[in-house]
Structures are given as structure tokens and as C-alpha cells.
Amino acid sequence: MRTPQMKRKDDMAMKLTREQLMIDLYAAWHMARRHKVTKHYVRVFDRHTDRNIEAICNALYTRDYHPEPSSCFIVDRPKKREVFAAQFADRVVHHYYYNQTHRIYERTFIEDSYSCIQGRGTHYGIERLKQHIKTESNNYQKRCWVMSLDIRGYFMHIDRKTLLDIAVGTLRKMASHKVGPGSTQTWGDLTDIDFLCWLTEQIVMIDPKTSCKVVGKPEEWEGLDYNKSLFHTPDGCGLPIGNLTSQLLSNVYLNEFDQYMKRVLKCKHYGRYVDDAYIVSCDKAWLLSLIEPIDQFLKERLHLEIHRGKTHLHEVHHGAEFLGGYILPGRTYMSHPAVRRLRQNVDNLKGCGPAKLYRSINSMLGVMSHFDNYRLSRELFCVEPFLKHGHFSEDMTHYYLNRKTQ
């Protein structure tokens, strides 16, 4: 005899077929293992791929899925952070969730939300800030300021219950919206919204500190900011850095803030990348007057607060820093912290073979091609600043390797 709970599970599972779930999980598995096929945990999973994916499918379809304990460790690059790495099976679920929901969520985002959105990365964010500055200052003819904002310990202070309400509310609201212009289908027609809402709860409400496996020595946590560790957060707060879903859901959480900035405070020239935001205006007094209402909204609605020590006002003729770029009239350089990281990466190449050197330098030059640091490319790589849109050839690699070792 079926219990009421069993009946509820069966009723919820009717719209999503098991066959479709299996197909989607295989697609998620391919994405989760991309660029990681040599990792030990991927090889272990791949020994019995069909059996493992079927087990995930059964757990999801019967609503018995619960994430496994994560591994917690410290990374030092590009700066010291505490990372919670999910088990590979859970990463497959994270990719499945992302594939099913990211287009729905992104339809609600503003154009100037840059994080974890295809085609809207750091370089896009820098270009958008340059456009905002040029528009507001009439191509640098008027005096103009950029106010940069930062949220204190953002990932560690996200209230998971508030996030769940926002995420589920967004999914249910979008269920009746058309998929695109001219389409007759709604998101509710294409996806099982009830299932996605249930899966959202399983992902959001898990406490990453529960039964996590700490990898490394206790002294590795020394020097880590108190506000950047989940072990010091209040109960019910914090998302683990390192999960794909955390990146997506952090955007969903701050979409409330984006809408407030655009619709209530009427900030025309505003943009945000994760917890770093900017506002551009020719009215300096108006920019300063925004700090208190912004802080009040963050505290009351999202249980967050502005990092006052990282709230700065810059006149655009003196330069504005954002996402590793330093924007000046007519040119954009890498910021000083970005240059320091680049120099450290170059130092770490000492002793590497030609193959690794070739790949690493091309990667660095690819990043530098977005900036006007011609002298820096000549200084670091002993080549002329040809490489605005070129690449480091194999002959140059051997030349560079021999010159550095002499």
C-alpha cells in the first residue's frame, strides 16, 4: 500500500520522464568531466559510468537524492580562499541543474550582470564599464566619477532560506513566460518546474560544513580572513565556493539587488560582477547619497552589508579599476594586482619544459591582448610587442627558454 508521501513523490515525478532524465544526466556527465578526464575521481566514476549515472537518476527520480559530504581545502591562487569541492556524482547533478535552469534565470538578469553568463565575462564587464564612462562623460568631455562597491564576505553570508525563496519564486514566476519571442511554448511546457524547485532545495539548503572532509593542515587556514570561511558563518548562511551551482545561484541572489539599483534608485550606468559593482555618474553628491539606501536594502532584504573599506569614488580621468583592468581615457592597462599575479605566474614557469612553457605563455598573452601593456609583454617574454592579436610560436618558445636559462 502506498503511503501519502510515496503518492506525493509519484505525482511530482509524472511530468519528467525517467528516460529524459537519463539523457540529460549523460549530457551533464560529459560537461562535468570536460578537461578533467585524467583526474583520479573521474577515472573511478568512469569505470562504471552507466551504473553510476543510473544510480543518480534513480535517486533524483524518486526524490531520494542527498548530496554527499564535500572536501574542504585552501587554495592560494589567485588569492587565499577556502574551497568546498563536491563529490563527482554531485558535480554531475550540479551540471544537470545548471543546464536546466540557467536560461530561465538569465532571462530575469539585467544586461550588466557579468558573472557566470556565457559571453559576459570579465573582459565584457570591462568593455561595458568603458561604454558607460564614455556615455556619461560625453566621451570624457564632462567631469565624471565611478563609485565602486564591494559586499563584505559575500558567499559566506548568503542566507540560504532567503536564497531558496528567491530561486523558487523565480522558477515559478517564469514557468508561465514564453521561452522566446515568437514562441508559443512556456518554460513550464519545457521543464518540470516542480522537480526543479525540489532540486533547488536539495542543493541550496545543504550545510557544506556537515561531515565535510578537511584536506590539509590546520595552519593552512592561518591568514584567511575571518569573513571568508564557512566555519565562522552563522547557521543557515553561506554557499560553498567551488560549486557551479554556487556561481549561478549567487547571481540569482543578487539579482534582487540589481533590480533595486535599476528600478528603484534609477542607476542608469550600473554593472556588477559577483560581489563587485560600480555606478557611473557626473553627479558626485548623488553617488555619495546612494551608499546609505544601498546598505539598508542589503541588510533588510538580503542580510548582507557593504564593505565600507572597499567603497571608493574615482574620477575617471585619474583611472577606474574593475575586474583586473585599469581604465584611463583612450587606454586600458592591467591593474597592479593583476600584473603582480602575472609576474608570479611567469616566475613559476622557471624549470618548465618547452611544451608547458608554450601553452602557458600563449595563455598569458591571450589575456594581455585585451590591454595596452605592450612594454610589459616585451619585458616578461623578451619579444617585441607584436602579439596584440598573435601568439607565441614554438621557435619563440625555444628562444625564450634558452634566453631565460642563460
Side-chain angles (χ1 to χ4, degrees):
M1 179 178 179
R2 297 195 305 171
T3 65
Q5 184 178 13
M6 292 172 61
K7 185 178 186 301
R8 179 181 64 83
K9 289 182 178 180
D10 290 345
D11 292 342
M12 290 175 63
M14 287 181 64
K15 184 172 183 179
L16 178 67
T17 65
R18 192 177 183 282
E19 292 73 17
Q20 185 60 49
L21 181 58
M22 282 288 289
I23 293 172
D24 293 337
L25 284 174
Y26 270 103
W29 165 71
H30 277 288
M31 295 183 66
R33 70 194 295 270
R34 188 172 51 183
H35 308 308
K36 297 181 177 67
V37 293
T38 60
K39 298 290 186 180
H40 175 70
Y41 54 81
V42 176
R43 290 180 174 181
V44 171
F45 188 93
D46 289 353
R47 289 173 189 167
H48 306 285
T49 302
D50 294 340
R51 187 176 69 187
N52 290 329
I53 291 182
E54 185 174 9
I56 297 172
C57 180
N58 292 336
L60 290 174
Y61 195 72
T62 59
R63 310 300 192 270
D64 291 324
Y65 167 76
H66 299 285
E68 295 293 324
S70 302
S71 298
C72 176
F73 52 90
I74 293 290
V75 296
D76 292 318
R77 296 170 61 190
K79 56 185 177 180
K80 199 163 193 173
R81 290 189 182 277
E82 178 185 78
V83 175
F84 283 78
Q87 301 299 318
F88 185 72
D90 293 323
R91 297 186 201 185
V92 173
V93 176
H94 294 167
H95 277 274
Y96 168 81
Y97 181 81
Y98 177 86
N99 292 343
Q100 299 299 310
T101 61
H102 78 94
R103 290 191 301 158
I104 301 176
Y105 288 134
E106 287 169 12
R107 284 287 298 275
T108 69
F109 295 164
I110 65 172
E111 182 181 359
D112 287 293
S113 175
Y114 312 125
S115 172
C116 201
I117 302 174
Q118 187 174 6
R120 294 198 226 168
T122 55
H123 300 306
Y124 177 85
I126 293 172
E127 290 301 318
R128 285 292 295 173
L129 174 54
K130 290 163 66 175
Q131 291 176 26
H132 284 306
I133 291 174
K134 286 183 178 181
T135 302
E136 179 68 9
S137 66
N138 193 18
N139 201 19
Y140 293 99
Q141 295 185 54
K142 295 191 296 184
R143 202 175 183 188
C144 185
W145 286 267
V146 176
M147 185 166 73
S148 57
L149 304 170
D150 186 85
I151 298 174
R152 186 185 298 275
Y154 173 51
F155 274 90
M156 308 306 157
H157 291 87
I158 292 175
D159 185 276
R160 291 196 291 271
K161 181 62 172 65
T162 303
L163 171 58
L164 179 63
D165 293 340
I166 294 172
V168 169
T170 301
L171 290 173
R172 295 204 180 281
K173 180 184 72 173
M174 293 297 293
S176 59
H177 284 232
K178 294 291 194 301
V179 172
S183 175
T184 59
Q185 289 185 311
T186 64
W187 290 110
D189 297 330
L190 294 182
T191 58
D192 190 331
I193 297 296
D194 287 332
F195 174 75
L196 292 179
C197 290
W198 168 83
L199 186 54
T200 303
E201 182 176 2
Q202 307 310 307
I203 293 172
V204 170
M205 296 308 293
I206 186 68
D207 185 354
K209 296 176 291 186
T210 303
S211 304
C212 71
K213 178 183 178 183
V214 177
V215 180
K217 300 177 181 179
E219 51 265 29
E220 292 179 7
W221 270 256
E222 295 178 1
L224 181 67
D225 191 323
Y226 188 86
N227 289 310
K228 296 187 180 295
S229 174
L230 282 176
F231 293 105
H232 303 302
T233 59
D235 291 339
C237 290
L239 286 184
I241 294 177
N243 288 348
L244 176 63
T245 51
S246 295
Q247 300 175 47
L248 174 64
L249 292 169
S250 68
N251 253 357
V252 175
Y253 197 64
L254 278 186
N255 185 47
E256 298 281 302
F257 177 59
D258 296 339
Q259 301 299 332
Y260 173 76
M261 296 295 290
K262 285 287 191 180
R263 301 178 186 277
V264 180
L265 296 184
K266 306 298 182 182
C267 298
K268 183 178 180 181
H269 302 291
Y270 161 84
R272 179 185 60 80
Y273 185 94
V274 193
D275 58 344
D276 293 319
Y278 65 81
I279 313 167
V280 182
S281 176
C282 290
D283 190 339
K284 182 179 179 181
W286 178 72
L287 287 175
L288 293 173
S289 71
L290 295 177
I291 296 177
E292 290 305 323
I294 288 173
D295 200 31
Q296 183 178 358
F297 173 84
L298 288 173
K299 288 177 179 177
E300 294 179 357
R301 177 69 179 102
L302 302 176
H303 312 288
L304 302 169
E305 63 177 342
I306 290 178
H307 195 311
R308 297 298 181 112
K310 294 184 179 180
T311 299
H312 303 291
L313 198 63
H314 307 276
E315 189 173 356
V316 296
H317 277 87
H318 297 158
E321 184 178 337
F322 186 60
L323 301 181
Y326 196 77
I327 301 167
L328 287 162
R331 59 206 186 277
T332 304
Y333 300 122
M334 296 182 73
S335 65
H336 289 304
V339 171
R340 284 196 296 270
R341 291 194 294 269
L342 182 68
R343 290 183 184 277
Q344 183 61 52
N345 290 337
V346 171
D347 289 341
N348 292 336
L349 291 177
K350 293 178 179 177
C352 293
K356 179 174 176 55
L357 195 67
Y358 176 67
R359 294 193 302 268
S360 299
I361 293 181
N362 269 323
S363 176
M364 295 177 196
L365 289 172
V367 174
M368 294 179 69
S369 68
H370 295 271
F371 303 98
D372 299 315
N373 294 88
Y374 305 126
R375 292 182 181 178
L376 185 63
S377 67
R378 179 187 300 174
E379 173 195 343
L380 293 179
F381 306 119
C382 310
V383 294
E384 292 299 316
F386 63 104
L387 307 164
K388 180 72 175 175
H389 301 290
H391 69 282
F392 207 67
S393 69
E394 294 186 17
D395 291 339
M396 292 173 184
T397 304
H398 289 288
Y399 163 75
Y400 174 81
L401 184 64
N402 294 331
R403 178 162 181 166
K404 295 292 285 186
T405 55
Q406 287 177 355

